[in-house]
Amino acid sequence: MAVQPATLNRRSFVYRELAALGATFREVNGCAVAATLAAGRAAEIAAARDLGLADLSGLRRGGYKGWTALDWLRGQGVAIGENNMTLKQGDGSRVARLADSEAMILGDLAGGSALLDRVEAGWSITGALGAYPVPRPETNFWFAIAGRHSDTMLAKICGVDLRPHRFPDGAVAQTSVARMSAIIIRHDLGATLGYDMIADSAAASYMWTSLQDAMDEFGGRPVGLDAIVALAAETGPA
Amino acid sequence: MKILNCPLNGPRNISEFVWGGEVKEHPALDCTDEQWVDYAVLENNTAGVVREWWYHVPTAYWIIAERNTVTDEIIRTYPARELFKDRVEFPAPAVKP
């Protein structure tokens, strides 16, 4: 059911920009998420095969930091890979190891994370001594960049080589993007090349605008969450 | 752009890092004010190979780099914990009457 962002306590950091693009919002986790924009689902799926930008800021995410954080998470049954790599978990969540002392957990595209629900319920300051939660839903925006031009577009604003043959699915780059510190994670959607971008929520509008500026020459444009979900459900060639 | 090799993140543009000063030996806790100022503020400004603190901003990660200040060549980078293996405890000062 469509909702107005201002009627909810949580809304995207770029909800005004999304509303100006004709977004239809629906509630996910108590947050207004742009499901589609003015172009509509079918046109946005087609656009995102080439280059699309979507706001996932309403979706579930979190993480833990501290010298015992990784061991504590492993004890909770979380699979953790090498530094700067992401491992997909049984419930569809992804766990990105950011350092020897930090991991970030990203929920699925439906907005849930059974893993994060379980881990958060099991955490206490005394029970997980030295492992501290990182409140990423409030401090970080989360954008998805999809499409066959996304690596070329990102090369304009990021010094790390993100081309698919150098930066495998699940790889993490913690680097400078458009002169801002950001986390980039390769996350292909079905057969479509894709990246997550997570960075300081206070600069969400700046990055949203900067990315559109960088996307212009490739015909890239913002799309709703539904287009990202549809691409992720595909298994054939893009 | 000059490249610095981060032990966590790999080769990165130098613009992602902030210089953090020379690596020095911590003075004794009962050192004089002059010794503390020398440690905290003054730099030796050595011509040659020095060990320096560098901070990778996107990951909030402190590393140590060995750099030749004459040629500006970066010789080696490594995690700070290679040098600083033990936690330094600072006893609470006695409360003055």
Side-chain angles (χ1 to χ4, degrees), chain A residues 29 59-64 72-73 76 78 89 91-95 103-108 111-123 133-137 142:
Chain A
N29 299 329
L59 305 188
R60 195 91 161 84
R61 62 193 174 284
Y64 290 85
W72 181 76
L73 285 168
Q76 304 291 310
V78 179
Q89 313 288 309
D91 71 331
S93 299
R94 288 175 291 145
V95 175
M104 178 172 67
I105 303 172
L106 298 174
D108 58 39
S113 173
L115 178 78
L116 206 45
D117 291 344
R118 180 163 58 75
V119 168
E120 286 183 354
W123 184 87
V134 181
R136 293 196 181 267
W142 179 6

Side-chain angles (χ1 to χ4, degrees), chain A residues 65 67 83-84 98-100 102 159-160 172-176 181-183, chain B residues 1 7-13 15-16 56-61 79 81:
Chain A
K65 187 170 186 166
W67 282 110
N83 277 333
N84 286 316
L98 302 180
D100 291 341
E102 184 170 6
V160 176
V172 178
Q174 303 174 78
T175 184
S176 179
S181 291
I183 303 170
Chain B
M1 191 176 287
L8 173 62
N9 297 288
R12 290 299 164 83
N13 287 338
S15 60
E16 293 190 15
H56 184 242
V57 177
T59 46
Y61 186 58
R81 67 171 178 272

